[in-house]
Amino acid sequence: MADTLHLTLPDLAATEALAARAAALARPGDALLLEGPLGAGKSAFCRAFLRAAAGNPGLEVPSPSFTLVQGYELPQGPAAHYDLYRLSGPDELEELGWEEAREGIVLVEWPDRLGWLAPQDALRITLRPDAAGEARQASLSGWADRLPALAGL
C-alpha cells in the first residue's frame, strides 16, 4: 500500500486548490475514488477538478446524483463523473459505460459500490468534515509518484 497523505483543507478554496492540483496531474486511464459522508465535499471536489481540467472556471458541472454519470470532453481526453450512491453494487455499472469510461479519467463518488471493479491503481480521497466550520480533513492514497505534488510540495 502506498503512503497516505493527510491534509487539512480549511475552506472550500483549499478543497478547490487540491482538486486543481489533481486535475493537473491526471491522465487518461486514471481513477479518482472519493469517499466520505454526505456533505463532506466530494461533489465540490469533482466540480473543481472538472473545471480546472477543462480550463473553464464557469463550466457547468451538474451533480450526477440522478443521472448516475456525467461525461465531459477535456483537453486530455474524455472524463466521466459517477455518483454511485443509489447503486447496490458493481453489477449495475455495465449499463453506465464503466469499461469505456475507464479509457479516460473517472471520478467516482461512493466508490464502495464498485466492488471488484475498483481500480487498484486509483487515487483514493477520503474527505471528512471537521466538527466546526467548513474545514475538511483529507486523506489521499495511491498515485505514489504524484502524492508530493498533490500536497503542493
Side-chain angles (χ1 to χ4, degrees):
M1 182 84 167
D3 290 341
T4 300
L5 175 65
H6 298 283
L7 300 171
T8 296
L9 306 171
D11 53 25
L12 179 59
T15 300
E16 291 172 341
L18 174 61
R21 289 193 301 273
L25 297 169
R27 27 189 201 247
D30 280 343
L32 291 86
L33 308 181
L34 290 102
E35 302 170 327
L38 286 170
K42 298 179 299 294
S43 294
F45 179 97
C46 291
R47 188 172 295 112
F49 177 99
L50 290 162
R51 288 177 176 159
N56 179 356
L59 179 68
E60 187 171 332
V61 182
S63 171
S65 294
F66 296 103
T67 59
L68 303 180
V69 63
Q70 290 286 136
Y72 299 87
E73 286 302 323
L74 303 175
Q76 59 270 63
H81 177 196
Y82 286 86
D83 183 331
L84 305 182
Y85 183 73
R86 298 184 311 137
L87 292 190
S88 60
D91 295 331
E92 299 176 55
L93 275 167
E94 186 176 334
E95 63 195 62
L96 296 177
W98 178 252
E99 289 302 320
E100 300 80 17
R102 287 290 294 127
E103 295 172 16
I105 297 169
V106 295
L107 296 104
V108 182
E109 296 183 52
W110 305 101
D112 57 309
R113 299 342 190 246
L114 287 171
W116 70 85
L117 292 174
Q120 296 303 308
D121 59 352
L123 174 64
R124 293 184 172 272
I125 303 168
T126 302
L127 297 170
R128 299 255 177 250
D130 270 355
E134 62 178 308
R136 296 179 175 94
Q137 296 300 317
S139 298
L140 297 87
S141 61
W143 288 15
D145 59 329
R146 295 179 265 178
L147 269 184
L150 284 170
L153 304 175

